[in-house]
Amino acid sequence: MPTEATEKPVLAAYPPSAEFAAQANGGAELYSEADSDRDAFWAKQAARLHWHEPFNQVLDWSEAPVAKWFVGGKLNVAYNCVDRHVEAGYGDQVAIHWVGEPGDTRTLTYSDLLSLVSKTANYLSELGLQAGDRVAIYMPMIPEAIASMLACARLGLTHSVVFAGFSSSALRSRIDDAEAKLVITTDGQFRRGKPAPLKAAVDEAIGGDTPAPSVEHVLVVRRTGEDTPWQAGRDLWWHETVEKASSEHTAEAFDSEHPLFLLYTSGTTGKPKGILHTSGGYLTQASYTHHYVFDHKPGEDVYWCTADIGWVTGHSYIVYGPLSNRTTQVVYEGTPNSPNEHRHFEIIENHGVTIYYTAPTLIRTFMKWGREIPDAHNLSSLRLLGTVGEPINPEAWRWYHSVLGGGRCPIVDTWWQTETGAIMISPLPGVTECKPGSAMAPLPGISMQIVDDEAHPVARGATEANGYLVIDQPWPAMLRGIWGDMQRFKDTYWSRFAEQGYYFAGDGAKFDEDGAVWVLGRVDDVMNISGHRISTAEVESALVGHDAVAESAVIGATDATTGQAIVAFVILRQGVVNTGDELVADLRATVSRDIGPIAKPRDIYIVPELPKTRSGKIMRRLLRDVAEGRQLGDTSTLVDPGVVESLRGGK
Ligand code: PRX
């Protein structure tokens, strides 16, 4: 496959063109402005929003690590994302160019979106839901999913979006943890060209012998039209309820710290964490970063973020950031290779997409498919590209730059997390001279460091000592806690460098000799599979839940396409017969049922023993060596060196 790397000399750094820089939303002065007075800088960014009542204090950090931003201010998040654009005369501007997987399309203007959100809000109120109640949203990428999130925001309900690829048991644990009163879902979803049931998974999650105690209703949008099981009284069709509700609704203002959403993400234990985000600070940073990092021009750009609303990227860069900035965006329901590998490029060409934001794993997949596919399309509308979710390897960066970007588009490699709520480290596209593979520098208003175990800053360009990425100043979109478990919140993020008061991100990183930030990946037991976080403990506990399994150890092994791939080592219970492929298939299915297809291990090795230290700790490093086919590292602390041979046998 020809890449720029083989055709042209490799550039060390890519400055923005003079043309791009001249028209960019953000210039170098943003950094100095933020440095000279951080609070004033954030107050100015907050003023990009509409406040029903102004705030009287930018930041209250007196109860650290729980921040209060824009204290005393009141706003309505949905009003900021929809109503104010209509009131300003942009009701006819397209908000969403929606593309369904089977090829159906819908166009929603800001007026259409306002009407849909208002109807939904009216009906949710009619159901008796009140500010502070939680609503679970388990839906494919259709406009009603976005409208549901905005209707919750409008009413002060806290939404918990659960990725529709998660299993019913993953859905159930999230519903129970949040004590959601309502679940919004669809009859089914299209996946790789075929309809698949979704409401059935909700029934499995909340019905049966042990119904979910908190759930009062299930609101169902018809998407695939397939037959759907129904529980009269509990289940409600969207088209018989929401669509008949009034489209007039006045948004009420909520406190800046009112809870906006919970989003569950994997930690180092088997139990996902409900990350809590609130309103004013979150929206300020989502909106600010979307405006400057993507250089977005309302009414001119056509923006496309390829994430799913089940992940934080969908929350911040499909829903809240873009809509608050009056974006016209593409929302695509399906997979990139349905009906064929041209899908994304066709969409870019047909809609004249100017800003495209995706994950490195997809770029590597495009590379594998071959450049003749994008080359068959006119992609000249693109003017800015972005990536998120995992480190991007320089070769994929250059390919993205030259093949999709025609060599003219800046690339913003954006580092952030579910917990940070919005982008933290990224180039500013009109300013930064980008190095392929580096997220470059903290954004104006954000302060971070890279430190060693003793909290000492790691020197620039130090080759040996990689450090930990920490954030040393509070930021507006920071998480406000873990739902129902403030102790875990403190332990996970704030105890590692408690004395210094640093937020511990869980990522390893280094500064190069020029001070550019290179994020190296997780330093904990969290894997990154195609940019999605999955904990080793979650997969291990799913495997141990299978009758045949006595013990398991899971690691993330390097994978050329997905970044990391899940590899499991499994010890069978005594007396269980190893049926080989059949058993492995069954184990993979168990994980898929328990968590979701994204957590299915790529490889499962049945082994007689696991390598353990004398203190009984599994030596994951050795397992990684085995899985990646490397020479084994130091085995001197291993209690039984013979285990290594048996592991190799297991392969
Ligand atoms: O390890 C980092 C990686 O993804 C983790 C956060 O995952 P999640 O909360 O699911 O959010 C993903 C989308 C924001 C981080 O701890 N990560 C994310 N972006 C990058 C990255 N690693 C390197 N470079 C990035 N640009």
Side-chain angles (χ1 to χ4, degrees):
M1 175 174 25
T3 65
E4 193 194 40
T6 53
E7 289 168 349
K8 296 179 195 162
V10 173
L11 295 177
Y14 294 69
S17 67
E19 218 180 327
F20 191 99
Q23 60 79 62
N25 288 349
E29 71 288 349
L30 282 179
Y31 294 99
S32 44
E33 208 184 312
D35 283 348
S36 70
D37 188 341
R38 190 185 308 277
D39 280 10
F41 177 81
W42 282 119
K44 188 169 162 191
Q45 302 315 322
R48 300 181 65 254
L49 306 178
H50 173 85
W51 294 82
H52 280 67
E53 276 178 38
F55 47 88
N56 47 45
Q57 190 184 353
V58 174
L59 168 67
D60 176 358
W61 192 226
S62 62
E63 285 167 48
V66 182
K68 290 196 188 82
W69 279 89
F70 309 119
V71 184
K74 286 192 170 175
L75 80 170
N76 186 290
V77 169
Y79 176 87
N80 272 284
C81 291
V82 190
D83 306 46
R84 67 169 170 150
H85 308 317
V86 177
E87 287 172 15
Y90 298 104
D92 291 338
Q93 183 185 321
V94 173
I96 297 172
H97 288 292
W98 180 79
V99 182
E101 202 191 69
D104 47 341
T105 59
R106 283 162 72 182
T107 306
L108 281 87
T109 63
Y110 273 94
S111 294
D112 296 334
L113 189 59
L114 177 58
S115 157
L116 187 59
V117 173
S118 299
K119 285 177 177 196
T120 314
N122 276 321
Y123 187 65
L124 297 191
S125 300
E126 218 174 284
L127 282 177
L129 292 162
Q130 287 177 356
D133 287 345
R134 272 83 58 207
V135 174
I137 297 175
Y138 185 61
M139 298 172 90
M141 292 290 291
I142 58 172
E144 286 78 2
I146 295 169
S148 295
M149 293 167 74
L150 291 167
C152 287
R154 193 174 185 89
L155 297 172
L157 305 171
T158 304
H159 59 67
S160 163
V161 180
V162 180
F163 175 55
F166 275 133
S167 68
S168 58
S169 71
L171 173 64
R172 172 64 183 261
S173 64
R174 286 158 174 77
I175 287 173
D176 283 351
D177 190 73
E179 296 175 287
K181 285 192 176 169
L182 174 71
V183 182
I184 311 181
T185 189
T186 59
D187 53 354
Q189 59 180 335
F190 290 99
R191 270 288 172 251
R192 296 180 207 283
K194 284 195 241 79
L198 192 63
K199 163 73 163 46
V202 177
D203 289 331
E204 203 178 301
I206 66 168
D209 298 340
T210 51
S214 61
V215 177
E216 295 168 2
H217 292 289
V218 180
L219 183 55
V220 189
V221 178
R222 190 141 69 193
R223 171 65 187 124
T224 56
E226 308 255 293
D227 274 351
T228 300
W230 207 251
Q231 186 174 313
R234 187 196 68 182
D235 299 348
L236 307 154
W237 279 117
W238 177 282
H239 57 270
E240 289 172 358
T241 55
V242 173
E243 278 175 19
K244 299 202 169 131
S246 159
S247 57
E248 298 294 319
H249 186 272
T250 305
E252 179 193 336
F254 293 96
D255 189 88
S256 178
E257 283 302 327
H258 188 80
L260 178 63
F261 67 85
L262 296 178
L263 185 58
Y264 286 82
T265 188
S266 294
T268 51
T269 70
K271 189 177 186 294
K273 308 176 275 197
I275 303 300
L276 172 66
H277 283 289
T278 60
S279 303
Y282 169 79
L283 191 64
T284 295
Q285 195 179 330
S287 190
Y288 152 74
T289 50
H290 176 264
H291 177 74
Y292 286 108
V293 173
F294 297 110
D295 191 49
H296 170 258
K297 311 280 194 285
E300 294 173 28
D301 278 308
V302 179
Y303 165 90
W304 183 15
C305 164
T306 69
D308 188 288
I309 50 152
W311 311 108
V312 75
T313 307
H315 284 60
S316 303
Y317 297 106
I318 293 177
V319 182
Y320 295 113
L323 295 176
S324 69
N325 288 329
R326 185 166 50 85
T327 300
T328 294
Q329 69 179 315
V330 167
V331 173
Y332 173 50
E333 182 185 35
T335 40
N337 53 353
S338 182
N340 58 48
E341 289 84 2
H342 289 266
R343 196 63 188 261
H344 273 221
F345 312 112
E346 263 163 22
I347 292 175
I348 293 171
E349 187 170 13
N350 292 344
H351 288 281
V353 170
T354 57
I355 303 169
Y356 180 73
Y357 187 34
T358 195
T361 186
L362 188 63
I363 298 163
R364 291 192 295 265
T365 303
F366 290 157
M367 288 172 77
K368 225 164 50 180
W369 291 344
R371 71 172 291 162
E372 54 282 4
I373 295 176
D375 281 350
H377 299 271
N378 179 356
L379 305 179
S380 63
S381 57
L382 289 171
R383 67 179 197 91
L384 185 136
L385 303 170
T387 74
V388 61
E390 54 173 320
I392 180 164
N393 44 314
E395 199 204 349
W397 195 104
R398 290 193 191 95
W399 191 93
Y400 196 30
H401 187 260
S402 95
V403 178
L404 261 73
R408 71 185 174 274
C409 304
I411 296 181
V412 287
D413 173 353
T414 63
W415 179 90
W416 58 296
Q417 308 176 298
T418 306
E419 291 87 342
T420 69
I423 299 170
M424 303 291 281
I425 306 176
S426 163
L428 267 190
V431 179
T432 314
E433 200 169 309
C434 293
K435 297 187 184 189
S438 166
M440 299 306 296
L443 286 175
I446 301 299
S447 177
M448 46 90 45
Q449 292 194 44
I450 298 173
V451 298
D452 64 17
D453 276 310
E454 275 79 49
H456 299 131
V458 170
R460 282 181 173 199
T463 45
E464 294 290 301
N466 297 323
Y468 303 110
L469 200 168
V470 297
I471 303 164
D472 59 4
Q473 297 289 335
W475 65 102
M478 67 195 297
L479 76 168
R480 301 300 198 266
I482 293 178
W483 187 253
D485 200 346
M486 289 314 270
Q487 194 54 47
R488 190 175 180 196
F489 167 62
K490 289 179 183 153
D491 292 347
T492 310
Y493 306 108
W494 303 97
S495 65
R496 188 78 162 72
F497 298 106
E499 212 178 298
Q500 296 77 17
Y502 296 162
Y503 167 86
F504 175 64
D507 276 333
K510 63 173 187 183
F511 284 122
D512 68 15
E513 50 292 343
D514 303 322
V517 179
W518 294 76
V519 179
L520 303 165
R522 304 288 308 185
V523 293
D524 53 14
D525 291 331
V526 174
M527 299 174 287
N528 190 328
I529 316 298
S530 299
H532 298 141
R533 265 161 78 167
I534 299 169
S535 84
T536 54
E538 266 175 291
V539 180
E540 284 165 5
S541 91
L543 286 167
V544 172
H546 189 285
D547 285 346
V549 177
E551 200 183 346
S552 81
V554 167
I555 52 119
T558 305
D559 184 278
T561 306
T562 57
Q564 283 190 317
I566 303 176
V567 177
F569 295 82
V570 164
I571 302 178
L572 299 182
R573 279 176 199 269
Q574 219 149 39
V576 172
V577 180
N578 181 357
T579 54
D581 290 350
E582 199 182 312
L583 178 61
V584 166
D586 198 34
L587 293 174
R588 293 180 82 229
T590 299
V591 178
S592 183
R593 238 189 342 267
D594 212 49
I595 307 170
I598 51 164
K600 253 195 278 189
R602 183 190 68 188
D603 304 315
I604 297 183
Y605 300 131
I606 313 252
V607 294
E609 273 176 281
L610 290 169
K612 289 190 181 157
T613 61
R614 286 177 187 87
S615 59
K617 238 176 130 300
I618 292 174
M619 293 184 73
R620 290 170 191 282
R621 182 179 49 76
L622 277 189
L623 294 177
R624 228 169 276 132
D625 287 345
V626 171
E628 293 171 0
R630 259 195 311 274
Q631 278 284 337
L632 295 190
D634 181 12
T635 56
S636 58
T637 52
L638 203 58
V639 72
D640 173 8
V643 166
V644 169
E645 281 319 303
S646 69
L647 281 176
R648 291 219 181 275
K651 289 192 76 182

